[in-house]
Amino acid sequence: MSHIDRRSFLTLAGGTVFATALGYPMISFGTGKRVVIIGGGIGGATAAKYIRMADPSIEVTLVEPKKTYHTCFLSNEILGGNRDFKTIAFGYEGLKKRGVNVMHEIAIDIDATAKTVTLKGGKKLGYDACIVSPGISFKWDAIEGYDANVAKTLPHAWHAGPQTVLLRDQVRAMPDGGNVIIVAPPNPFRCPPGPYERASQIAWYLKNNKPKSKIFILDNKKKFSKQKLFQAGWQRHYGFNTDHSMIEWISGDAGGKVTRVDAKAMIAEAGVDFKGSVINVIPPQQAGRIAFAGDLVDKKGWCPVKQNTFESTRHSDIYVVGDASVAAPLPKSGYAANSEAKVCAAAVVAKLNGQSAPVPSYVNTCYSLITPNDGMSVAMVYRFDKQKGKVIKVKGSGGLTSDKASAEMRKREVSYAHSWFMNITRDTFF
Amino acid sequence: MKNRHLWLYFLFMSGSVLIGTVPILLQAAETPTASMLANSCAGCHGTNGSSVGPASPTIAGISNDYFIETMQAYKKGTRPATIMTRIAKGYTDEEIKLMAGFFSKQKFIRYEQNFDPAKARAGKKLHKKYCDKCHEDAGRSAEDDAGILAGQWAPYLRYSMDDFNSGNREMEKKMKKKMDILKKKEGDEGVEQLIHFYSSQK
């Protein structure tokens, strides 16, 4: 029975007290097994599935405005012409089949005392545990001249979907010899290797279609994720470190810090002005909006959690998973969100059944594709350190693809990246 | 090893009172459950270990000992891999045993793959002749710690055969003997036909 059905029934029956007094068995008020999940991305959808798998007696409601979710991971392949946009779209039929009550609504507030989630329009959902997986939002005031409105013409494409298509089409439409400017964000941000994989994929397209063009990555940072491997890959395929390099990376120190964007003149102002045919600004980030409304964020705009359960340190019975949570050394990646959600789901199931939180285990695996035949990965196994009260890397585990990996092994990484994509999306949405 | 399992069984059945009293048992209490560990594999190997492809192998239904042997080989670096050599190092021997127990109990779900019917037919004959003695039941069996071949993803089988044949991965004596004859008589095409046969099975 869904929340709405029960709610309307309760109204008909003349209110909560009366109905409860009658003791209707289908009225689950007071049974303490209602979970409301806000956000149907990787974290939220995985949590919904794994709670239902572990304990079908728990009533799970997933609140997600969009009917279709587009994965950020591997969306860069679309820019390179190596993936069809349709393949990154996922609906919620699979979760519905598992008995998840999916509501395409916008959550606007969480009341930690009353234990309710308020939807746009005023409807309230009661919960015993609330899992928030809000993803990221952008700090629109960080770069002068760049805001939500300008993003309609100068895409960030850091929420996949129409923004991905817009950026792809702009790269397709630009003249041979034009510049693509990628403005990379400061730490921490979603998908640390993402901007550099994006440069690689766009370079693949340009190399094959507009070879006189160039990509400038204007970076806030001094270094970046998988840097050596990316640069070695760019050297192999895109002339990096030569006079004809297709990709130039300009670090924050070397004048890569962008302070202003002029959308009309198509200029990104850093140490000097960079003129682009395409300007892709990936703005500085913080937790998604509902995390702010629900008072779940710290001063930096991210959500502190107990890292063995992902319960908020600010409000009990509210959990935050995925990119919005403070879970370092776990990165803000899709695999980490999926892994965190399973740990959180197990903790919530245990709690609702009067048991203590299980011992967690976490994994991250993240692939980056330089060409359709050249990929690399980073992996890590994590555990929870009780003394430190936080997630730690398991010593000796994980790390990057070897810089000595053969071309054959780098090619295998691509097919394992595609397998990872197929399996993680199925593990999340079906 | 059997005794050790018994000990674990006793530990789980005896509950938290006992776990709380003895220091060595306390340490064991910090080991995650089998499902907690196994769930973190699903992102690449599929929910409960059945991969939807196109390359990462299904590990559901795998023999308990073959799983342990494989993970230990990755851990030591004696079996080549893109990523598993890095991931296996993150787990204790005890955790690997727990995962082995979990995945060996799961059902191997087979998904449809593209294959060449003529090659698959030829491969079926070769399988009977060279492989069926150990990889019983047309490669569906995990008995005697054989890897399940039927319905395994073709690219993974191909990588495995490449690694065997290049000498990067050690072959068991019996397998090497059969492979040497097969390669001599049927060439690389014979190996390819076998792969088409295995990937044709549903």
Side-chain angles (χ1 to χ4, degrees):
Chain A
M1 198 181 203
S2 75
H3 279 298
I4 310 165
D5 292 340
R6 190 180 56 237
R7 196 165 291 281
S8 41
F9 171 73
L10 287 179
T11 315
L12 285 172
T16 318
V17 179
F18 179 58
T20 313
L22 283 177
Y24 282 99
M26 69 276 245
I27 295 164
S28 57
F29 270 48
T31 57
K33 283 195 166 192
R34 298 165 306 163
V35 177
V36 174
I37 299 173
I38 304 173
I42 301 303
T46 304
K49 170 175 169 174
Y50 273 77
I51 288 173
R52 292 288 303 167
M53 268 171 63
D55 183 353
S57 76
I58 296 176
E59 195 181 312
V60 177
T61 300
L62 177 68
V63 181
E64 163 59 46
K66 291 193 293 288
K67 293 205 167 143
T68 307
Y69 176 81
H70 292 94
T71 65
C72 284
F73 46 77
L74 288 194
S75 67
N76 283 329
E77 273 198 311
I78 293 164
L79 308 175
N82 297 314
R83 177 170 289 278
D84 189 332
F85 178 63
K86 279 184 287 207
T87 64
I88 64 163
F90 296 88
Y92 294 93
E93 293 310 312
L95 292 179
K96 284 180 195 164
K97 276 186 196 150
R98 288 189 179 272
V100 176
N101 174 27
V102 181
M103 297 177 83
H104 294 296
E105 303 264 3
I106 299 171
I108 55 162
D109 200 11
I110 309 167
D111 185 332
T113 314
K115 291 187 156 192
T116 54
V117 171
T118 309
L119 304 180
K120 196 175 179 182
K123 203 182 286 173
K124 283 184 200 288
L125 306 175
Y127 67 79
D128 298 296
C130 177
I131 300 173
V132 188
S133 185
I136 53 152
S137 63
F138 301 117
K139 294 179 176 172
W140 290 119
D141 53 355
I143 299 169
E144 197 191 327
Y146 193 75
D147 58 25
N149 209 34
V150 178
K152 288 174 191 160
T153 47
L154 269 53
H156 51 75
W158 220 243
H159 283 136
Q163 282 272 310
T164 314
V165 175
L166 182 61
L167 181 57
R168 178 196 66 188
D169 292 348
Q170 287 183 356
V171 173
R172 294 279 185 285
M174 72 178 241
D176 189 6
N179 292 333
V180 176
I181 311 287
I182 297 175
V183 181
N187 291 323
F189 64 101
R190 160 178 288 177
C191 190
Y196 316 96
E197 182 191 53
R198 174 167 290 178
S200 312
Q201 285 290 323
I202 294 176
W204 174 258
Y205 168 79
L206 295 177
K207 185 181 174 179
N208 292 301
N209 297 279
K210 289 160 187 171
K212 284 182 236 152
S213 307
K214 247 176 131 78
I215 301 163
F216 291 93
I217 307 169
L218 306 179
D219 211 327
N220 220 291
K221 304 179 288 297
K222 289 180 192 172
K223 54 180 185 168
F224 60 87
S225 170
K226 302 177 181 168
Q227 184 166 350
K228 274 189 185 164
L229 290 177
F230 269 116
Q231 291 180 338
W234 295 344
Q235 218 159 334
R236 280 195 296 275
H237 303 287
Y238 307 123
F240 192 69
N241 274 344
T242 69
D243 293 343
H244 305 287
S245 180
M246 189 158 247
I247 300 173
E248 300 285 352
W249 174 67
I250 298 151
S251 74
D253 287 358
K257 250 178 214 162
V258 172
T259 50
R260 188 173 167 269
V261 169
D262 188 332
K264 261 201 189 130
M266 288 299 280
I267 283 169
E269 287 181 25
V272 290
D273 287 359
F274 289 85
K275 194 162 170 52
S277 299
V278 175
I279 301 179
N280 166 219
V281 180
I282 307 165
Q285 294 157 31
Q286 59 193 4
R289 264 180 310 175
I290 187 67
F292 285 83
D295 184 38
L296 300 169
V297 295
D298 61 15
K299 278 180 195 154
K300 289 177 181 164
W302 302 101
C303 307
V305 292
K306 298 169 193 164
Q307 294 179 343
N308 58 333
T309 60
F310 292 89
E311 186 174 22
S312 168
T313 57
R314 299 174 66 84
H315 295 288
S316 51
D317 296 318
I318 301 177
Y319 299 74
V320 185
V321 295
D323 294 344
S325 69
V326 179
L330 280 158
K332 297 190 186 306
S333 74
Y335 204 111
N338 174 275
S339 187
E340 291 165 15
K342 288 170 186 173
V343 169
C344 175
V348 166
V349 169
K351 185 159 187 194
L352 296 184
N353 286 297
Q355 295 155 357
S356 54
V359 179
S361 174
Y362 330 72
V363 169
N364 178 56
T365 295
C366 156
Y367 288 94
S368 301
L369 306 181
I370 294 170
T371 76
N373 288 309
D374 193 340
M376 59 188 173
S377 57
V378 66
M380 186 59 66
V381 180
Y382 306 85
R383 60 177 75 241
F384 184 71
D385 186 313
K386 250 186 171 174
Q387 265 90 46
K388 289 181 186 154
K390 69 187 299 307
V391 173
I392 53 161
K393 297 176 178 180
V394 175
K395 260 190 199 153
S397 79
L400 293 158
T401 298
S402 164
D403 54 3
K404 292 176 190 73
S406 64
E408 164 62 21
M409 287 311 240
R410 294 198 309 266
K411 193 175 173 181
R412 286 188 194 180
E413 296 253 22
V414 176
S415 72
Y416 284 131
H418 292 156
S419 300
W420 165 85
F421 177 84
M422 294 296 289
N423 281 296
I424 196 169
T425 51
R426 196 163 174 99
D427 187 47
T428 300
F429 293 105
F430 292 92
Chain B
M1 205 159 83
K2 281 234 165 89
N3 283 339
R4 192 130 192 205
H5 281 308
L6 262 178
W7 178 82
L8 259 182
Y9 179 77
F10 175 67
L11 176 68
F12 286 137
M13 298 314 285
S14 58
S16 55
V17 181
L18 183 59
I19 290 171
T21 51
V22 191
I24 191 167
L25 296 182
L26 241 180
Q27 209 173 11
E30 290 306 303
T31 299
T33 61
S35 65
M36 174 67 79
L37 291 162
N39 285 348
S40 67
C41 311
C44 295
H45 292 284
T47 307
N48 294 332
S50 279
S51 166
V52 292
S56 53
T58 286
I59 53 177
I62 192 169
S63 119
N64 187 77
D65 288 3
Y66 177 51
F67 182 94
I68 294 170
E69 187 190 303
T70 304
M71 286 292 277
Q72 293 294 352
Y74 283 142
K75 221 171 151 176
K76 289 188 200 95
T78 52
R79 181 173 159 176
T82 51
I83 201 166
M84 279 310 299
T85 41
R86 289 173 266 158
I87 290 173
K89 290 187 184 81
Y91 298 102
T92 64
D93 295 351
E94 205 52 56
E95 287 168 338
I96 288 172
K97 277 183 199 164
L98 285 170
M99 287 190 265
F102 181 93
F103 286 115
S104 62
K105 285 186 203 82
Q106 306 300 317
K107 192 177 179 292
F108 187 123
I109 300 169
R110 292 179 172 81
Y111 294 96
E112 200 152 316
Q113 298 187 54
N114 291 326
F115 63 92
D116 178 331
K119 283 184 186 174
R121 275 195 300 277
K124 190 177 182 177
K125 281 182 196 152
L126 294 178
H127 171 82
K128 271 193 186 147
K129 202 166 166 189
Y130 295 98
C131 318
D132 196 57
K133 209 169 167 190
C134 295
H135 295 280
E136 288 171 70
D137 192 16
R140 301 177 93 87
S141 169
E143 289 278 306
D144 293 329
D145 307 321
I148 299 175
L149 305 176
Q152 191 53 280
W153 290 98
Y156 170 75
L157 292 173
R158 214 163 273 133
Y159 299 155
S160 300
M161 292 315 298
D162 286 351
D163 290 342
F164 280 134
N165 288 323
S166 67
N168 285 337
R169 182 176 163 191
E170 207 185 329
M171 256 188 277
E172 276 200 9
K173 255 189 197 162
K174 271 192 274 180
M175 181 171 169
K176 188 166 177 1
K177 221 168 144 185
K178 293 278 186 188
M179 276 303 299
D180 285 347
I181 306 170
L182 179 130
K183 293 256 299 180
K184 206 184 244 172
K185 285 195 174 167
E186 317 288 342
D188 289 340
E189 186 55 24
V191 176
E192 196 52 30
Q193 287 164 347
L194 279 169
I195 291 168
H196 280 264
F197 169 57
Y198 298 131
S199 51
S200 74
Q201 278 165 281
K202 281 171 210 122

